[in-house]
Amino acid sequence: PQFKAKGSLTAVCEFLRIERLPDQLMGGQVFDAVKAGDRRSIIEHCMDDVKVTREVYRRLRAGGIIL
């Protein structure tokens, strides 16, 4: 069976106390930003997602949750 995660990256960051950029797009808003041509917000959103995903990984690895 395939594992399906529930929740959001923002929720994980809040739980682990990882700061995110303020006033940024949420994943569900990206398509609307694409239609509006708001490239800057999309780029900032993606860059922040990568940054905090890396930090989540580092913390889980340091805690022995991920090998």
Side-chain angles (χ1 to χ4, degrees):
Q2 186 177 4
F3 175 77
K4 269 218 161 199
K6 293 186 180 190
S8 66
L9 182 56
T10 298
V12 172
C13 289
E14 287 173 4
F15 179 77
L16 295 175
R17 296 188 177 129
I18 298 171
E19 278 191 47
R20 301 218 56 185
L21 288 177
D23 300 324
Q24 93 161 7
L25 292 175
M26 300 299 287
Q29 299 169 317
V30 171
F31 184 68
D32 290 335
V34 169
K35 290 192 300 187
D38 188 2
R39 289 181 171 192
R40 170 127 351 250
S41 292
I42 297 165
I43 291 167
E44 288 174 2
H45 167 78
C46 292
M47 289 177 63
D48 189 57
D49 273 1
V50 169
K51 182 188 88 171
V52 299
T53 299
R54 180 174 42 188
E55 183 60 23
V56 167
Y57 172 79
R58 286 179 178 164
R59 291 192 188 187
L60 294 178
R61 178 132 188 197
I65 296 169
I66 296 176
L67 300 176

